[in-house]
Amino acid sequence: MADCKPLVCRNTALTPANRQALTGHFARLEDALADSDRLAPYVRHRLEEQHRATAVFLTLHAPEIAE
């Protein structure tokens, strides 16, 4: 499990607490990218990659809304 990447692994449980933590992480990434003109290009690129991956993960694992 040392090589496990939570956004890639299929054997991680997405609990409400995990979802909340990822949502908070996503918000912090957005805050960091808001000042992206002050970041080194590589740092900005890595933050953008994390932002995209987190957004995709949260979208794919959105809680189902009961109709």
Side-chain angles (χ1 to χ4, degrees):
M1 293 297 293
D3 296 327
C4 182
K5 297 178 182 175
L7 297 181
V8 180
C9 284
R10 296 178 191 267
N11 62 349
T12 52
L14 188 59
T15 64
N18 292 350
R19 173 170 266 296
Q20 184 177 11
L22 281 171
T23 301
H25 177 68
F26 184 77
R28 287 187 298 279
L29 289 170
E30 287 185 329
D31 290 344
L33 288 169
D35 290 332
S36 66
D37 56 331
R38 297 175 52 194
L39 299 172
Y42 179 74
V43 173
R44 182 175 51 246
H45 173 74
R46 295 289 294 159
L47 290 175
E48 288 169 346
E49 284 181 338
Q50 287 181 28
H51 184 265
R52 273 191 298 276
T54 304
V56 167
F57 185 86
L58 288 171
T59 300
L60 290 174
H61 297 90
E64 294 182 20
I65 300 171
E67 294 182 25

